[in-house]
Amino acid sequence: MTAPLIDVDTLHSPARRVAILNGFGRTLGDGIIGLQALHLAMRLGIVPSRPTLFRLAGFGPMVEAVHAAADIAEIRILPPAHARPQTRFDAANEFDQVIDVREFAFAADFQRTSMIDFFLRRLGVDPQLLPSAFKRNTWLAPRVTPQPAARARGHVQGYVLVCPRASMRIRDMPDEIHDAILRQLAGRCAVVTQGHVPDGLADEVAHAPECKALAELCALVRGARWVISTDTAMVHLADAFGVPCLAFFPTHRPEWRVRDYPRCVAVPLRSALPPGLEFARGVGDLALARRAWFPNGADLDWLKRVIDRCRAWHEPRSLPSEMVT
């Protein structure tokens, strides 16, 4: 939908009424990053204070909670009938400008670019003018009430948190990879996983039950020494709370997701899938995504080397960003 023309004299007026449609997305990760873009656009005066975010409902408690934490905007529900950009937004006349990001996940410039840059451009900000540090997820932590540190096998903090599941099945970590990570770490450090604990590891690996509240999930991340995760929202939460992260990318180039995260070590997995594929088109895509985790078949020495390298960090919270290939 084309935004209405704006009088240049009112462009930076705090009284300017701005609506953002589908702000921001259907997943926790999209919400964290999109709201950081909005936070920056408001600080720069490109978007006035308290814009109205119209978002679709029904995408789970964490997505609801991250938008509820965004006190920088008024949140309203976008009617399902208005979910597609081909549909005229009936309330457009109530606003001086409508920024339409409906169905952005299907846009080619979203699938193959940095997420934060995509959202900044949609909000009218040239991302090239901003330093990388501005693009980190700084908006969230001050708005989450601190919770008691999560415990892992009696350790108040300092555990390794393993996160094998993504919002999209195509990015899930295979069970064999998850099990290999847990077995390599077990007995060497406190380990917590959001996935299933394999047989024989119940005394050495703790299972993190599903978090019921955003503050609880953030406490789980905040209490970790480092996070090992597939490409999912936990990677963005790790950045938000300054926790080092080892992240695997089966479908996207890492610079499209974690380019601005100085404490993230990114592992791109080579696959035959089209780069930036957001949704599996069928079981064949799921098979190709799975195959990317096994470049040498059942031989997982590559994974062992990556884990050993990360375990060798002496001061993991001060490592520079790097790419593991």
Side-chain angles (χ1 to χ4, degrees):
M1 178 176 179
T2 303
L5 294 177
I6 304 169
D7 187 326
V8 70
D9 293 331
T10 66
L11 182 60
H12 294 92
S13 168
R16 186 164 55 97
R17 300 165 303 168
V18 171
I20 302 169
L21 306 187
N22 193 25
F24 289 91
R26 305 181 178 207
T27 68
L28 179 59
D30 293 345
I32 292 169
I33 295 173
L35 289 165
Q36 176 63 24
L38 179 61
H39 176 66
L40 284 173
M42 292 171 62
R43 287 180 61 189
L44 294 168
I46 303 300
V47 173
S49 60
R50 298 291 296 173
T52 302
L53 267 63
F54 287 87
R55 54 174 305 276
L56 294 167
F59 293 105
M62 290 301 167
V63 178
E64 300 286 340
V66 79
H67 285 86
D71 55 2
I72 56 177
E74 178 186 352
I75 309 296
R76 297 190 200 173
I77 298 300
L78 183 67
H82 292 171
R84 299 175 62 83
Q86 296 85 353
T87 303
R88 184 185 183 279
F89 178 54
D90 288 344
N93 291 337
E94 299 177 20
F95 299 93
D96 301 303
Q97 182 186 13
V98 174
I99 300 172
D100 194 342
V101 290
R102 289 177 289 183
E103 294 199 337
F104 63 81
F106 297 97
D109 55 338
F110 174 79
Q111 295 172 358
R112 301 191 180 190
T113 193
S114 162
M115 288 176 68
I116 185 73
D117 288 359
F118 171 85
F119 286 126
L120 285 169
R121 281 192 293 268
R122 287 296 183 97
L123 293 172
V125 179
D126 183 350
Q128 307 245 349
L129 300 179
L130 298 176
S132 181
F134 280 35
K135 300 176 184 179
R136 296 185 62 196
N137 301 310
T138 58
W139 77 272
L140 180 59
R143 293 174 170 84
V144 176
T145 303
Q147 300 289 306
R151 293 183 174 270
R153 309 304 305 174
H155 295 259
V156 173
Q157 58 183 7
Y159 47 84
V160 177
L161 176 63
V162 184
C163 311
R165 297 291 173 252
S167 59
M168 299 297 169
R169 186 180 168 195
I170 195 170
R171 294 195 292 275
D172 279 353
M173 182 184 292
D175 290 342
E176 299 94 322
I177 299 294
H178 175 244
D179 289 3
I181 292 171
L182 297 183
R183 294 186 189 281
Q184 186 171 346
L185 295 174
R188 296 182 173 95
C189 56
V191 183
V192 179
T193 180
Q194 291 184 305
H196 173 72
V197 178
D199 293 341
L201 293 184
D203 292 334
E204 299 174 277
V205 175
H207 171 69
E210 183 177 357
C211 295
K212 303 300 184 183
L214 179 63
E216 184 182 347
L217 183 65
C218 291
L220 181 66
V221 173
R222 196 199 303 258
R225 180 188 176 200
W226 48 292
V227 170
I228 300 176
S229 180
T230 188
D231 175 15
T232 190
M234 300 301 282
V235 177
H236 310 303
L237 283 176
D239 177 71
F241 292 98
V243 177
C245 182
L246 170 62
F248 297 90
F249 293 87
T251 58
H252 288 68
R253 288 167 52 178
E255 59 266 34
W256 298 341
R257 293 294 182 261
V258 298
R259 177 199 61 199
D260 305 300
Y261 300 173
R263 293 167 180 154
C264 183
V265 174
V267 182
L269 303 175
R270 296 178 177 88
S271 83
L273 291 168
L277 186 67
E278 289 289 329
F279 310 102
R281 298 163 297 184
V283 294
D285 284 346
L286 297 177
L288 288 174
R290 173 184 165 80
R291 194 176 303 164
W293 294 85
F294 301 93
N296 304 314
D299 182 355
L300 298 181
D301 279 353
W302 72 270
L303 179 63
K304 182 179 184 299
R305 290 194 299 270
V306 170
I307 300 298
D308 280 343
R309 186 175 182 184
C310 289
R311 280 191 60 239
W313 293 352
H314 179 63
E315 294 289 342
R317 290 179 185 266
S318 62
L319 276 181
S321 179
E322 58 179 305
M323 182 77 74
V324 177
T325 58

